[in-house]
Amino acid sequence: MQIAANEKRKALVTEITLRKARTIIRKALEKGREIDLKPLSVVVVDGGGHVQAFEREDGAPAGRFQIAFGKAYGAVVIGVPSSKLVDMALERPHFVNALSGVYDGKIVPVAGGVLVRDKKGALIGAVGVTGDTSDNDAAAALAGIEAAGLIGEA
């Protein structure tokens, strides 16, 4: 009886597994090559902002983890794509500055942090991509998320 209850609970919990995170990264990088982007760095975080997986392509500058993470982390902890954080920073700079302090400077309010939702619409994580223009970064993230069978919100 206990095993059946555990299996039922697992069926209700949607998360970004390591396998899905790797798919997201692989497909985001493939999209980058397909549309001839500069070398990308991609991070996948779970619903709590914890890193599930990260890769930095050959030729990507050092320090890209922090930027990709900041985009994804900001998106998931605030609950909006990082492109919306850009708008918030322009409209309410004091608020976004305060958020930066609250979250120990980990939020990067620049497009390229894409929310990840399951098929039912539940927020389960985010993907942060950096290396090219912010719009191209977001396009690569969306391609990876879609390939993993999940829904992206940029």
Side-chain angles (χ1 to χ4, degrees):
M1 191 68 171
Q2 182 64 30
I3 293 172
N6 285 339
E7 291 304 315
K8 186 175 181 181
R9 187 176 30 229
K10 285 181 185 178
L12 296 174
V13 176
T14 304
E15 60 184 25
I16 300 178
T17 62
L18 180 58
R19 184 177 185 171
K20 285 197 182 282
R22 288 177 172 163
T23 297
I24 291 168
I25 290 172
R26 184 178 74 253
K27 294 300 186 175
L29 296 177
E30 285 176 12
K31 180 67 171 181
R33 300 293 57 82
E34 176 187 316
I35 60 176
D36 200 30
L37 301 184
K38 295 175 185 171
L40 299 177
S41 297
V42 183
V43 68
V44 178
V45 300
D46 66 15
H50 304 99
V51 175
Q52 184 68 344
F54 169 76
E55 285 191 28
R56 181 177 65 88
E57 285 188 298
D58 294 341
R64 290 298 175 154
F65 169 79
Q66 290 83 350
I67 297 169
F69 175 74
K71 290 178 176 188
Y73 183 79
V76 80
V77 299
I78 304 303
V80 299
S82 63
S83 61
K84 299 281 190 258
L85 290 173
V86 173
D87 297 338
M88 290 169 66
L90 294 172
E91 295 166 5
R92 301 179 294 167
H94 297 294
F95 177 68
V96 174
N97 189 42
L99 286 177
S100 181
V102 167
Y103 292 105
D104 298 322
K106 294 178 186 173
I107 295 175
V108 176
V110 177
V114 179
L115 295 177
V116 179
R117 296 187 182 278
D118 66 13
K119 294 290 185 183
K120 294 180 180 178
L123 179 60
I124 60 170
V127 176
V129 178
T130 187
D132 205 273
T133 67
S134 296
D135 289 341
N136 286 340
D137 292 345
L142 286 167
I145 294 164
E146 182 179 309
L150 299 167
I151 300 166
E153 182 185 343

